[in-house]
Amino acid sequence: METGSPEETGIPGEELVWRGLQPALMRVRRLLMVMWATVLAVATALLLGLLVGPVWAAFALLPLAIAAWCWRLLERNWRSWRYAERADDLLISRGVLWREETVVPYGRMQLVEVTSGPIERRFGLATVQLHTAAAATDATIPGLDPAEAERLRDRLTELGEARSAGL
C-alpha cells in the first residue's frame, strides 16, 4: 500500500498521512476491462461479419482500441484514491479530472462494513463502506488489504461509538 507524504492539517502539531490503495485493485480493474472488451469485440465481429459482411467486422477493433486507451486511465484513477485518518474525521480523496474529497466525521458514522466479493477475495482485496445519518455522505474505500480493512472498520467503529456517546 502506498503511503503519501505527510501534509499539514491546519491543526498545530498534527500531520496528515495519506494512504493509497492496493496495486491489486488496478490489476483487477484492468483484467475486467480486458475481459469485457474481448467479449464485446468478438460479439461485434460475429454480428457484423455475419449480418453485414466481413469487411464490417473490422469495427470489432474499436472496443480493443478503447480498452488500450483506458489501460492508462485506470492507473491514473487508482493513483488518485487515498484516505487519511484525522483526530475527528476520516478524509477520502479521489478523482483525476474532477477531484472529490469527502470528510466523514466519526460521530456521524452509523455503520461501517467490510465487503469482499469473489473477485476481490481472489486478489486479496476488501472494501470498507461507511454509512452515515446523511445518505449523501456515505463513503467507500475500495481495494484495501483485508487486514487493513478490518483494522479500519474496528478503529472507525470504536471512534464512532466514542464520539456519538457525547451527543
Side-chain angles (χ1 to χ4, degrees), residues 20-52:
L21 306 181
Q22 290 291 320
L25 179 65
M26 182 176 47
R27 289 193 299 271
V28 167
R29 289 182 175 172
R30 283 179 170 173
L31 176 68
L32 291 173
M33 179 196 57
V34 167
M35 287 175 36
W36 282 110
T38 303
V39 167
L40 190 57
V42 168
T44 302
L46 287 175
L47 286 174
L48 289 177
L50 293 173
L51 297 176
V52 182

Side-chain angles (χ1 to χ4, degrees), residues 16-161:
L16 189 61
V17 178
W18 289 99
R19 297 173 186 246
L21 306 181
Q22 290 291 320
L25 179 65
M26 182 176 47
R27 289 193 299 271
V28 167
R29 289 182 175 172
R30 283 179 170 173
L31 176 68
L32 291 173
M33 179 196 57
V34 167
M35 287 175 36
W36 282 110
T38 303
V39 167
L40 190 57
V42 168
T44 302
L46 287 175
L47 286 174
L48 289 177
L50 293 173
L51 297 176
V52 182
V55 175
W56 289 92
F59 277 103
L61 295 176
L62 189 59
L64 298 177
I66 292 171
W69 178 66
C70 290
W71 186 268
R72 179 135 164 94
L73 294 180
L74 284 173
E75 182 177 352
R76 289 181 65 199
N77 179 268
W78 169 78
R79 287 190 188 285
S80 74
W81 276 86
R82 59 189 188 157
Y83 67 97
E85 301 171 59
R86 293 197 302 186
D88 295 323
D89 49 34
L90 178 73
L91 298 176
I92 302 170
S93 179
R94 64 194 167 280
V96 178
L97 293 177
W98 286 271
R99 299 284 305 155
E100 187 174 331
E101 199 162 294
T102 304
V103 179
V104 184
Y106 297 134
R108 300 298 241 165
M109 290 183 204
Q110 293 182 331
L111 174 68
V112 181
E113 39 179 13
V114 175
T115 60
S116 186
I119 296 174
E120 285 179 310
R121 280 194 306 273
R122 170 69 179 95
F123 284 85
L125 297 171
T127 297
V128 173
Q129 174 106 28
L130 309 163
H131 300 277
T132 62
T137 58
D138 285 1
T140 303
I141 306 173
L144 296 176
D145 180 64
E148 171 64 10
E150 290 177 17
R151 182 206 67 81
L152 189 59
R153 178 200 58 206
D154 294 343
R155 176 168 161 67
L156 295 177
T157 302
E158 179 183 314
L159 289 169
E161 289 173 356

